[in-house]
């Protein structure tokens, strides 16, 4: 990708490799979009995943499997967490690789061509919001689009 002056820019990185903060150029596929109702502030939200993301992991893999003991042992228990958060403490992002990127366009209710399944290249400032890397009002380029047949 070259900018207006003809200079080469850095190659796009994957969602997994995003820093917690800073200017980034990344690409991936839109997993889902959220349309805000008319009585709320106008914003358009999309969730971006890597183009080479693994298949989603099922939450209860043995639940549908045969064998009662294995299925029963994989069910969640009713354990209570003793971890307390101090008032005023900053939210920490969960440890582990990032799998999704939230993209928010403020002041827009819809962006033509940006739907689930669309491949995008994004450039903008990434920040952590509610444990999820987020980019507000990025520059974007539609790389491919699913055509209705």
């Amino acid at each position: 990708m070259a900018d207006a002056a003809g200079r080469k820019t850095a190659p796009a990185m994957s969602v997994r490799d995003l820093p917690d903060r800073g200017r980034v150029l990344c690409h991936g596929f839109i997993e889902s979009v959220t349309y805000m109702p008319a009585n709320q502030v106008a914003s358009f939200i999309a969730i971006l995943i890597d183009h080479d993301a693994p298949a989603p992991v099922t939450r209860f893999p043995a639940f549908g499997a045969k064998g009662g003991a294995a299925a029963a042992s994989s069910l969640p228990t009713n354990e209570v967490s003793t971890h307390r958060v101090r008032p005023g403490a900053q939210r920490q992002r969960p440890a582990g690789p990032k799998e999704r990127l939230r993209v928010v366009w403020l002041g827009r209710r819809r962006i033509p061509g940006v739907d689930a399944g669309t491949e995008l290249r994004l450039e903008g400032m990434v920040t952590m919001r509610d444990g999820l890397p987020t980019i507000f009002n990025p520059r974007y380029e539609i790389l491919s689009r699913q055509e209705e047949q």
Side-chain angles (χ1 to χ4, degrees):
M1 181 174 187
D3 63 5
R7 295 174 286 169
K8 290 270 186 174
T9 58
M13 63 177 55
S14 68
V15 173
R16 284 186 208 97
D17 299 332
L18 288 175
D20 286 346
R21 293 177 175 217
R23 180 161 292 282
V24 296
L25 176 65
C26 66
H27 75 281
F29 287 97
I30 299 293
E31 179 182 55
S32 63
V33 295
T34 304
Y35 300 98
M36 291 296 156
N39 63 354
Q40 293 185 5
V41 175
S43 65
F44 181 74
I45 302 170
I47 302 295
L48 190 84
I49 58 173
D50 279 331
H51 64 282
D52 58 349
V57 178
T58 59
R59 196 161 178 195
F60 303 110
F63 190 67
K66 294 179 183 175
S73 66
S74 68
L75 291 175
T77 60
N78 292 332
E79 295 178 17
V80 176
S81 173
T82 58
H83 177 69
R84 296 196 179 250
V85 177
R86 294 184 329 243
Q90 284 187 336
R91 294 182 184 142
Q92 298 290 326
R93 74 173 167 90
K98 301 172 192 89
E99 296 178 359
R100 290 173 170 72
L101 170 68
R102 179 188 305 132
V103 184
V104 180
W105 284 275
L106 299 170
R108 306 278 305 261
R109 295 222 180 261
R110 186 170 185 334
I111 299 189
V114 177
D115 293 313
T118 303
E119 186 176 7
L120 290 181
R121 181 178 296 139
L122 302 168
E123 181 180 3
M125 296 294 287
V126 68
T127 184
M128 295 300 288
R129 297 292 265 189
D130 299 326
L132 198 61
T134 305
I135 297 179
F136 290 95
N137 295 329
R139 292 182 177 182
Y140 67 96
E141 178 182 357
I142 297 174
L143 299 177
S144 69
R145 198 168 138 215
Q146 288 183 342
E147 305 247 351
E148 294 184 36
Q149 297 178 2

